[in-house]
């Protein structure tokens, strides 16, 4: 009887395996030796698909970017620029918070990553079509990336311990309920993101109206 063949090694298998490692253990868990062991192949075979670890991590990050919804920026979508920017930001943050260990790589910018570049292209193109000058459209893309990646780098609510004694009223008279934040982490962090996002877009709307009057 013929022995069962191992699945062929591919970029997709490498990226899927590396992504699982990053999600479970962090960026430092990824090495060519570890990946080869997980995939049941020899280490050198990985170099047929990626030159080094950095290229693998770039591909992992790009797989996260590919999960971001860009439909709101298509020319036949009827959402205005404010709604489109809001809906995209929510989708972008959802992708990042599902893979928080990958955020430091994504925060470096799209570089040569195809999906990341498509995100940047879609945002810039939609803002220019909406009437923003190209320079301002660039600033908006940068601003939104700073805000979204920053929100996904850590949890505000989890930064407080759930021990009431840590917040002595004599020292911290306004933190009497701080010990409750951790257990309400999702509500607090999502509420903070939504509040900040709406404030940003409302501020941009003021600038947009001023441009229209100029």
């Amino acid at each position: 009887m013929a022995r069962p063949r191992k699945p062929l090694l591919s970029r997709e298998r490498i990226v899927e395996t590396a992504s699982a490692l990053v999600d479970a253990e962090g960026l430092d868990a990824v090495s060519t030796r570890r990946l080869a062991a997980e995939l049941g192949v020899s280490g050198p075979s990985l170099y047929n698909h990626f030159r080094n670890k950095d290229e693998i991590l770039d591909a992992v990050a790009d797989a996260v970017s590919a999960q971001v919804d860009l439909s709101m920026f298509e020319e036949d979508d009827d959402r205005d620029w404010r709604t489109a920017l809001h809906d995209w930001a929510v989708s972008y943050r959802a992708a990042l918070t599902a893979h928080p260990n990958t955020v430091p790589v994504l925060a470096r910018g799209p570089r040569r990553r195809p999906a990341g570049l498509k995100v940047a292209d879609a945002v810039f193109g939609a803002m220019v079509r909406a009437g923003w000058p190209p320079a301002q459209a660039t600033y908006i893309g940068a601003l939104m990336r700073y805000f979204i990646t920053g929100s996904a780098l850590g949890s505000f609510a989890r930064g407080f311990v759930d021990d009431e004694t840590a917040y002595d009223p004599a020292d911290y008279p306004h933190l009497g309920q701080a010990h409750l934040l951790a257990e309400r982490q999702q509500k607090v962090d999502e509420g903070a993101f939504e509040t900040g996002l709406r404030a940003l877009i409302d501020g941009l709307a003021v600038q947009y109206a001023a441009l229209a009057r100029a």
Side-chain angles (χ1 to χ4, degrees):
M1 178 180 289
R3 296 175 62 185
R5 296 178 62 189
K6 292 181 180 178
L8 292 175
L9 188 62
S10 64
R11 285 180 64 92
E12 290 73 19
R13 282 192 67 212
I14 296 169
V15 172
E16 287 175 4
T17 302
S19 296
L21 278 176
V22 172
D23 285 345
E25 302 179 33
L27 294 168
D28 290 340
V30 177
S31 67
T32 52
R33 179 179 296 181
R34 176 75 183 276
L35 280 174
E38 294 283 338
L39 290 161
V41 299
S42 64
S45 64
L46 297 177
Y47 297 115
N48 293 324
H49 302 277
F50 295 97
R51 289 184 297 179
N52 51 45
K53 172 183 171 177
D54 285 343
E55 280 197 358
I56 295 171
L57 291 179
D58 268 349
V60 169
D62 214 37
V64 175
S65 294
Q67 298 172 23
V68 180
D69 181 14
L70 298 176
S71 64
M72 67 288 295
F73 294 134
E74 294 174 1
E75 293 191 38
D76 59 355
D77 192 282
D78 60 3
R79 280 171 278 194
D80 63 20
W81 70 267
R82 293 183 59 174
T83 305
L85 205 58
H86 173 276
D87 293 350
W88 164 73
V90 170
S91 175
Y92 193 1
R93 180 177 182 271
L96 299 192
T97 55
H99 305 280
N101 291 335
T102 310
V103 174
V105 181
L106 287 161
R108 300 172 193 162
R111 303 205 288 186
R112 295 178 182 270
R113 303 184 206 117
L117 288 169
K118 285 182 180 179
V119 171
D121 181 74
V123 176
F124 178 80
M127 295 303 102
V128 170
R129 284 198 309 274
W132 286 98
Q136 288 297 114
T138 300
Y139 301 155
I140 291 169
L143 165 69
M144 298 304 291
R145 187 168 67 82
Y146 297 152
F147 176 67
I148 298 165
T149 56
S151 76
L153 279 172
S155 165
F156 174 83
R158 285 182 181 165
F160 294 85
V161 298
D162 60 355
D163 179 2
E164 189 172 3
T165 65
Y167 309 103
D168 188 330
D171 296 321
Y172 315 108
H174 307 296
L175 297 182
Q177 301 296 307
H179 65 286
L180 301 175
L181 289 173
E183 69 181 41
R184 301 171 184 173
Q185 177 261 325
Q186 183 174 358
K187 181 178 180 181
V188 172
D189 290 347
E190 289 183 356
F193 177 76
E194 185 66 27
T195 298
L197 178 58
R198 290 192 179 279
L200 282 177
I201 294 174
D202 286 348
L204 288 173
V206 173
Q207 294 184 37
Y208 186 80
L211 283 172
R213 292 193 299 269

